[in-house]
Amino acid sequence: MNTFRENLLAGKNAFIAGGTSGINLGIAKKFAEYGAKVAVVGRNPEKAAHAAQEIGHDAMGLSADVRDYDAIRCAMENVASAFGSLDIVISGAAGNFLAPVNGMSANAFRTVIDIDLNGTFNVFRGCHDLLNKPGASLIAISAGQAVNASALQAHACAAKAGINQLIRVLALEWGPEVRVNGISPGPIADTEGMKRLAPDPAARDAHYARIAMKRWGLIDEVADSALFLCSPAASYITGTILDCDGGSQIGDASRIDLSRGMA
Ligand code: HXC
């Protein structure tokens, strides 16, 4: 390991909600690799302990549901007292399932709003007085569905749109001491989300053609985006939502026929 890697986040303490699996676990591993002290939080205590072990570097694993403000605040206080303070907070816990609005109870809609949007409010609201300021960096995990409507995901679309605005408002209210940004991952391989949203391999292969980069992204590529946003290289970036999606949101790449312009 070279010195740059070891030092980039040295002395930084990170709290990662939803960090026990998927993209957020990838971010936790990346941050630990680059020198941060890391705590991951998820609903399931065994999963949290296992994730901490997988991350290594003396990572902490705690259980709390982001829907429960008191529980998430208590987890943050425990981490801040163990680490000293918090420099980086990631809000990444998410829930999703495919259902038309007519097949969704009020509780079903509320459940996803509670996990994604209210959970992000709870994580960010709960951490502010524990942050090492100035210089703290917060990231929420959003999605392209915040901007582009997607049938069967009214709950997730509404929640992610709310998250984008929450990011912008907090960047205004908490600047210049705290930077608040989002990452909007496109389709990312080996995630619970894509297992749920694209379970069929044939549909998945057809989907590649529509993406400018002609493939799904890697968890490690999203983790690199998080590393950038939390690093000094992003010191003038706040209130932005960084698309890490291979160009998924810019248009349908399968409809392009360049030969029509070659005559
Ligand atoms: C219709 C459904 C449903 C379905 C659940 N519900 N699944 N309704 N179709 N397929 C309803 C239930 O019937 C219930 O309503 C309500 O939702 C709450 O369900 P519970 O199972 O009681 O909730 P809970 O145990 O808290 O589980 C939350 C969950 C679940 C979101 C429903 O799927 C979950 O835990 N997911 C976590 C993991 C996950 O989804 N990860 C993927 C994130 S992907 P009633 O009325 O019966 O009480 C992602 C990518 C983003 O975020 C990209 C898109 C924006």
Side-chain angles (χ1 to χ4, degrees), residues 2 22 50 58-60 73 85 128 133 154 170 179 181 189 191 193 204 220 223 228 231 236 239 243:
N2 64 41
H50 184 262
D58 297 323
M60 288 176 78
R73 169 70 192 183
S85 61
H128 188 257
K133 302 184 275 291
L170 288 181
R179 293 186 300 107
N181 291 295
T191 57
R204 184 195 59 205
D220 201 50
F228 164 65
S231 78
Y236 201 51
D243 291 339

Side-chain angles (χ1 to χ4, degrees), residues 30-84:
K30 175 80 63 179
F31 285 6
E33 187 188 328
Y34 279 78
K37 275 197 226 167
V38 167
V40 290
V41 182
R43 264 190 292 178
N44 180 314
E46 288 84 38
K47 231 172 128 180
H50 184 262
Q53 217 168 25
E54 205 181 317
I55 295 161
H57 301 271
D58 297 323
M60 288 176 78
L62 300 91
S63 71
D65 190 327
V66 292
R67 290 173 281 192
D68 180 344
Y69 178 82
D70 292 339
I72 207 75
R73 169 70 192 183
C74 178
M76 279 173 177
E77 284 175 358
N78 287 340
V79 173
S81 81
F83 289 175

Side-chain angles (χ1 to χ4, degrees), residues 43 67 94-99 103-108 111-112 115-116 143 145 153 156-157 160 192-193 196-197:
R43 264 190 292 178
R67 290 173 281 192
N96 200 3
F97 52 82
L98 294 178
M104 212 183 266
S105 67
N107 188 43
T111 298
V112 172
I115 299 171
D116 292 31
Q145 285 89 335
Q153 293 185 74
C157 290
K160 297 296 190 183
E192 180 65 26
R196 285 167 187 252
L197 300 178

